[in-house]
Amino acid sequence: MKKLLTLIALFTITLSLQSQSECDCKPELDFVYEQMQDISSFKDQIKGDRRDEFEQTYQSLRTQMPGSMTLSDCFWQLNQLMSLVNDKHAEVFGKRPDFEAEKIYDSAFIEAYRASDDFINFPITDRDLDELQTYLKTKEVEDIEGIYNIGSKMKMGVYRVNETDSLVGVILRSELGIWEPGHIYAYIKETDRPAHYDMAVYGQTRKNLMYAKAQFFDNGMLLSNVIKEDFGKSYSLIQKNQEEGYQLSYVADDVQYVWLNSFSRTKMAQKRDALIEQINTELMASNLIIDLRNNGGGADKISLPILKALKKKSVSIYVITNFYTGSNAEMTTVRLKEKFDAIQLGQRTYGAISYGSNYGRTYHSPSELFSFYPTDMRQKQFIDYEEVGVEPDIQLAQEKDWIEQTLEFIEGQNL
């Protein structure tokens, strides 16, 4: 219960922010409480003692909620209830503004937005930014505190709050007019698993709250587009255009390679068929590298026919993954290892593998400030990997090309 109270009090204690929008959080919590009980993961996991824990957590959260609280505090507490279920697909997220993403480059829109309550009341730190930057520049790349680039247009400082396991990410520089220095970008908390953090993050273009569960901080990378400014290039993220996916090619005399960048049911059917034809007629090497980096998943309808075609070939398979290999791409990784004796290299996968959404429905809270995205599918054979991910047989160094490292490993295997 002490840990629970720490979670509840996390941001109301640690942050002193200027004015924010507020809400009555109890109806929002009741909404999440009811919605959770219909999802597949809840039905699988919340039984017996865990059901008692769920009820106690819900009542404790509700009892301690004041009549009015900030949206960020409310959002965090909604996700404390959600955290009792291991399911990275199910999520609660903040209301998305109805403007198109391209609007953030429209000067007239930006002028109007910066005069709005949404901008004026956006949470902002009371820390002196010059002093903060001076302090953060002393941090090593392996320390989560430090200065990060968010893509190419924003810079963020991440700092601990009161020597605790809680951190805040604050904008230091932005070329996007919807942001300004001092705005809060992320609320971060250490988990029980080393180098893993739960985060409430504001979307870069629409600034709605999103929750990132059990994110792996590795070699200066906090999120896929949030990287320590002094880290340099990281090869864990693949640097290719989407059009380069599904193209079988030679990368060495007896090694062929293909990047499967997505298993999207709606986008990849034609590419799947073309790749299967390539496998049937052009896969001649003794070794095949299947690169699943950045593949967020999709459908068995796309991935399984590819594996079926590979079954007809006598080939040693090496699969490359990173933390952003998720969902059906994780299932594919497991299937390659179990059915093909494939060797997995790179980084552990995302851990969103056992549950999914067939219908893609979204339900809105009473205030419509928050939305709930449920899961309605389960593949229980993968439950041990949920929120854990699939660990590689061989870890690859971040600072050297991962295909080159894989080729070196294959050469060593064949000596």
Side-chain angles (χ1 to χ4, degrees), residues 75-138:
F75 183 70
W76 187 267
Q77 295 195 32
L78 299 181
N79 278 286
Q80 300 323 298
L81 191 63
M82 288 286 292
S83 70
L84 297 181
V85 175
N86 293 329
D87 183 347
K88 268 192 168 181
H89 275 97
E91 64 174 326
V92 175
F93 56 90
K95 178 183 178 181
R96 295 187 179 110
D98 58 6
F99 63 81
E100 297 296 325
E102 293 76 15
K103 283 286 188 180
I104 67 171
Y105 302 103
D106 184 322
S107 59
F109 171 81
I110 292 300
E111 182 179 0
Y113 173 75
R114 291 175 71 92
S116 70
D117 289 341
D118 287 343
F119 182 84
I120 294 168
N121 294 328
F122 197 81
I124 189 167
T125 185
D126 59 358
R127 290 285 297 264
D128 181 280
L129 296 186
D130 290 334
E131 291 180 1
L132 179 61
Q133 289 190 75
T134 299
Y135 164 71
L136 293 177
K137 284 179 180 178
T138 67

Side-chain angles (χ1 to χ4, degrees), residues 8 35 107 342:
I8 293 171
Q35 291 292 328
S107 59

Side-chain angles (χ1 to χ4, degrees), residues 172-229:
L172 301 175
R173 178 188 65 80
S174 176
E175 296 177 23
L176 302 179
I178 63 171
W179 294 93
E180 73 173 6
H183 277 177
I184 301 296
Y185 186 83
Y187 308 107
I188 306 167
K189 185 171 178 23
E190 294 178 0
T191 69
D192 294 336
R193 189 177 183 187
H196 287 72
Y197 296 83
D198 292 337
M199 292 185 272
V201 181
Y202 290 96
Q204 190 173 357
T205 56
R206 290 188 173 89
K207 297 174 82 171
N208 63 300
L209 281 161
M210 301 177 291
Y211 197 76
K213 193 176 185 182
Q215 297 298 296
F216 184 29
F217 174 64
D218 188 32
N219 287 277
M221 185 178 297
L222 189 59
L223 294 167
S224 62
N225 69 331
V226 181
I227 303 172
K228 278 282 186 79
E229 68 170 358

